[in-house]
Amino acid sequence: MSPRTSPPGDREAAQVAGAPLRADAARNVAQIRAAAIAAFRGRGLDTPLEEIAAAAGVSKATIYNRFGGRAGLIDAVIGKLVAAEMYAIMDKALQVADPWQAIATYVTDRRDLQYREPAFTDALLMTYPDSGQLAAIATAAIDMTISLVQRGHDAGVIRRDFTAEDLYYADVANGLALRKLPRPARQDYDRRIRFFLDSLRPR
Amino acid sequence: MSPRTSPPGDREAAQVAGAPLRADAARNVAQIRAAAIAAFRGRGLDTPLEEIAAAAGVSKATIYNRFGGRAGLIDAVIGKLVAAEMYAIMDKALQVADPWQAIATYVTDRRDLQYREPAFTDALLMTYPDSGQLAAIATAAIDMTISLVQRGHDAGVIRRDFTAEDLYYADVANGLALRKLPRPARQDYDRRIRFFLDSLRPR
DNA sequence: GGTTAACTTGACCCGATGGTTAAGTTAACC
DNA sequence: GGTTAACTTAACCATCGGGTCAAGTTAACC
């Protein structure tokens, strides 16, 4: 069972083109999207909607009109935020022939994404299960770790007692620390990634 | 510089005996303390005070009357919750002669405490700096890791690039994951402690 | 058992946030 | 340029949590 690496229902065209938006509504959608991306980057997916609305120059109610609520807004921008990169990271890892290198590449790239986009941790945690895109990312990420760890065990390149859950737990822990603590210097962060990778090798 | 292993101002006698409490007030203090300990154990140090008051059978205002607020309440019960155990853990580690065993013992005991008492993570994070006891625990814990890592490096029993900050970061990350994710089975948790300890050894 | 100071508390106020709606505004089309 | 449906929004309600206070209650002491 190799994991899915593309989103189930890619709705880049936010509105599904059921009915064309009026000019002012379309303009607002664009402004809200831009504001949401910036806000989610800076403060996480739990940024107050009122703040996003203010940044977009509209009223809070307009976000509800256009996106239905937070989950809809997340669905509309998560692709730009993390989904695209996440699926690229998974594809890249799947193409690495050496089982250990596949794991190392995947873990390194994923931690890098986590460092640059804290919102990715929200995806892992399924903080907003109402967002289909978010749930899809979480599922795909979990499938991916299961697959990679299986490959690693078959090839004997990771310690026997290491499980996919261990990897998931470690990534979530790292993401939570990134949000609560002052962001570590990149060199410290990278060093800790090396520690973690080293701890996976057979003894 | 060996770390302090006892609290600066041990105020087990909550009231400092400035003036004896009236009978009803003393009874309420006892009930609030018991309720707070249970609540802090179950939900963390950010449990709404109103909930603690209800469990104690008093009004929210009484907590403010008796303890001044959340920080005071934490100060009054943190000893029972984690301070006593934490200082015991530090003393125990300081008495282990072998530098590596000292680190292993300390990390293992501390993670065990973290598993049993999630409130300990709040101490590490200094979520409530107004609580003197909490701040003292955090400071002592940090001093302790610095001292242990220094000893480890002097004896060459841990990898050269490992720092005390790395240990702090890992412990905080672990504590946050413990609170956000469903609590892992003890055997999984212990295995992850072993992974972590293994990752500290020289390469 | 009466006086008083200690004590408790319901009822507030506040700010933050999610969510809804009536009423007004505006783009689009004839 | 008039009609209308789409659209926006200020105003509103609700919840939650911290924090305060006037007014009532009660323990303690004479």
Side-chain angles (χ1 to χ4, degrees):
Chain A
M1 57 161 161
S2 100
R4 239 191 345 232
T5 60
S6 61
D10 210 329
R11 51 179 102 160
E12 281 294 50
Q15 291 305 316
V16 200
L21 283 177
R22 230 173 63 176
D24 51 352
R27 203 183 324 128
N28 286 338
V29 164
Q31 283 164 341
I32 292 169
R33 279 174 130 267
I37 288 172
F40 287 162
R41 281 221 167 96
R43 290 195 39 175
L45 297 187
D46 55 351
T47 306
L49 293 185
E50 196 149 22
E51 193 171 301
I52 295 173
V58 301
S59 151
K60 176 180 53 157
T62 301
I63 293 184
Y64 284 93
N65 287 339
R66 297 288 120 241
F67 298 92
R70 182 181 304 279
L73 183 55
I74 290 174
D75 268 351
V77 302
I78 198 68
K80 283 275 157 50
L81 270 179
V82 299
E85 278 200 86
M86 183 59 198
Y87 292 118
I89 286 172
M90 295 198 296
D91 279 335
K92 179 179 165 194
L94 283 176
Q95 281 160 20
V96 175
D98 179 69
W100 168 250
Q101 278 307 317
I103 292 173
T105 298
Y106 179 69
V107 169
T108 304
D109 287 350
R110 194 128 85 84
R111 291 268 168 127
D112 174 63
L113 178 56
Q114 226 167 353
Y115 186 87
R116 288 181 293 108
E117 295 285 7
F120 175 66
T121 300
D122 290 311
L124 270 191
L125 282 169
M126 284 207 243
T127 314
Y128 301 101
D130 287 348
S131 161
Q133 301 263 330
L134 219 49
I137 292 173
T139 303
I142 288 172
D143 286 352
M144 186 75 191
T145 61
I146 291 173
S147 168
L148 282 174
V149 168
Q150 185 60 53
R151 262 183 87 196
H153 278 143
D154 291 346
V157 297
I158 54 179
R159 53 191 297 170
R160 291 203 168 280
D161 52 354
F162 187 78
T163 71
E165 280 77 26
D166 295 337
L167 181 51
Y168 174 76
Y169 189 88
D171 278 337
V172 169
N174 176 61
L176 292 172
L178 264 178
R179 274 200 291 183
K180 274 284 177 182
L181 296 176
R183 155 166 308 211
R186 191 59 208 233
Q187 93 188 47
D188 293 327
Y189 187 76
D190 288 340
R191 176 162 31 86
R192 286 161 200 162
I193 297 177
R194 287 200 303 277
F195 292 166
F196 179 66
L197 284 175
D198 286 343
S199 78
L200 307 190
R201 302 316 302 264
R203 299 258 103 209
Chain B
M1 54 164 159
S2 100
R4 239 190 345 232
T5 60
S6 61
D10 211 327
R11 52 181 101 159
E12 281 294 48
Q15 290 305 317
V16 200
L21 283 177
R22 227 173 66 176
D24 50 353
R27 203 183 325 127
N28 287 338
V29 163
Q31 283 164 341
I32 292 169
R33 279 176 130 265
I37 288 172
F40 288 161
R41 282 221 166 97
R43 289 196 38 176
L45 298 186
D46 55 351
T47 306
L49 293 184
E50 196 149 21
E51 193 171 301
I52 295 173
V58 301
S59 151
K60 178 179 52 158
T62 300
I63 294 185
Y64 284 93
N65 287 340
R66 296 291 120 240
F67 298 93
R70 164 165 271 113
L73 182 55
I74 290 174
D75 268 349
V77 302
I78 199 67
K80 282 275 156 53
L81 271 178
V82 300
E85 279 200 84
M86 183 59 199
Y87 291 118
I89 286 171
M90 296 198 298
D91 279 335
K92 179 178 164 194
L94 283 177
Q95 281 159 21
V96 175
D98 180 69
W100 168 251
Q101 279 307 317
I103 291 173
T105 298
Y106 179 70
V107 169
T108 303
D109 287 349
R110 195 129 85 84
R111 291 267 169 129
D112 174 64
L113 178 55
Q114 226 167 352
Y115 186 87
R116 289 181 292 107
E117 295 284 7
F120 174 65
T121 300
D122 289 311
L124 270 191
L125 282 169
M126 284 208 241
T127 314
Y128 301 100
D130 286 348
S131 161
Q133 301 263 331
L134 220 49
I137 292 173
T139 303
I142 288 172
D143 286 352
M144 186 75 192
T145 62
I146 291 173
S147 167
L148 282 174
V149 168
Q150 185 60 52
R151 261 184 86 195
H153 278 144
D154 290 346
V157 297
I158 54 179
R159 52 190 297 171
R160 291 204 168 280
D161 51 356
F162 188 79
T163 71
E165 280 78 25
D166 295 337
L167 181 51
Y168 174 76
Y169 189 88
D171 279 336
V172 168
N174 176 61
L176 292 172
L178 263 178
R179 273 201 290 183
K180 274 283 178 180
L181 296 176
R183 155 167 307 212
R186 191 60 208 231
Q187 93 188 46
D188 294 326
Y189 187 76
D190 288 340
R191 177 161 29 85
R192 287 163 198 159
I193 297 177
R194 287 200 304 275
F195 292 166
F196 179 66
L197 284 175
D198 286 344
S199 77
L200 307 190
R201 303 316 302 266
R203 299 257 100 209

